[in-house]
Amino acid sequence: MIRVLLADDEELIRTAVAALLDLEPDLEVVAQAPDGRAAVDAALAHRPDVVVADLEMPELTGMELAAELATALPSCVVVILTGHGRPPHLQRALTAGAKGFLPKGSPGGALADVIRRVHRGERYVDPALAADALTAPVNPLTPRELEVLRLAGYDTPVAVIARRTHLSPGTVRNYVAAAIAKLGASSRADAVRIADENGWL
């Protein structure tokens, strides 16, 4: 019997997935959690074999949950479910320690099969997501440009960004201008939108 923990902040999805998995003779849902922090606590309490986690959750994301469990409970493997998988999300999730990455729109039996695969020590990435990752544009921005652009996304004034990043206002403006140019954006807001749509922020 493979013991499974489900972590998703949408109760309807979580309970529906639990009902589907409970129909499988070799799978048992031992716990459910509404956020990433509760999932870590539940994993430590119930010691599941596999955690199925939503990519975007409060407290800890699915990627952060995978990274934390890799240290706190290394015998447990994580499968990430996502409604909008982007290539950088896939790469970050696998780097964080997730063993499976699957869209929420997958056929009903696919998740059970993926759980069995990762429990056997295999990895699974949805073929369409893997193909997108192979053909995705490379992020042209430097880590510092990303940091400044991330802060700029909240309409943060240049002076505030400068204080938070320990840069001069002129250097902040230069990083923003470089990001706009590299992304072919028309404005700071457009650069933020492009970077966000590509999953770089």
Side-chain angles (χ1 to χ4, degrees):
M1 188 66 77
I2 302 172
R3 295 163 51 80
V4 179
L5 184 153
L6 298 176
D8 195 310
D9 58 321
E10 295 182 53
E11 186 178 359
L12 183 61
I13 291 174
R14 196 174 66 242
T15 54
V17 170
L20 279 173
L21 294 181
D22 279 337
L23 297 174
E24 301 290 332
D26 57 339
L27 304 180
E28 178 188 8
V29 176
V30 295
Q32 297 182 37
D35 62 63
R37 180 53 57 202
V40 171
D41 295 341
L44 294 174
H46 295 276
R47 306 191 78 75
D49 301 304
V50 179
V51 172
V52 176
D54 187 18
L55 176 67
E56 298 293 334
M57 291 186 293
E59 304 297 328
L60 295 173
T61 66
M63 289 180 277
E64 292 165 337
L65 170 63
E68 192 155 326
L69 288 180
T71 302
L73 193 62
S75 62
C76 177
V77 294
V78 177
V79 173
I80 302 283
L81 286 181
T82 180
H84 50 278
R86 295 178 185 146
H89 293 154
L90 169 59
Q91 293 156 356
R92 286 198 297 265
L94 294 176
T95 300
K99 299 299 181 191
F101 202 86
L102 190 67
K104 285 186 176 178
S106 299
L111 178 58
D113 181 52
V114 170
I115 290 170
R116 292 182 188 105
R117 286 181 182 210
V118 298
H119 184 252
R120 288 194 303 261
E122 300 173 25
R123 282 187 176 215
Y124 178 85
V125 175
D126 175 75
L129 290 176
D132 287 347
L134 291 172
T135 59
V138 176
N139 178 0
L141 304 177
T142 67
R144 200 59 144 160
E145 288 165 351
L146 278 172
E147 179 187 13
V148 169
L149 202 58
R150 196 173 288 117
L151 291 170
Y154 299 102
D155 288 330
T156 310
V158 168
V160 174
I161 295 172
R163 275 197 309 277
R164 289 185 185 169
T165 56
H166 306 291
L167 299 169
S168 72
T171 302
V172 168
R173 281 190 283 276
N174 288 342
Y175 279 130
V176 170
I180 290 170
K182 286 180 179 180
L183 297 178
S186 59
S187 65
R188 175 168 120 163
D190 192 37
V192 170
R193 179 192 60 77
I194 292 168
D196 186 52
E197 284 177 358
N198 282 286
W200 298 329
L201 291 182

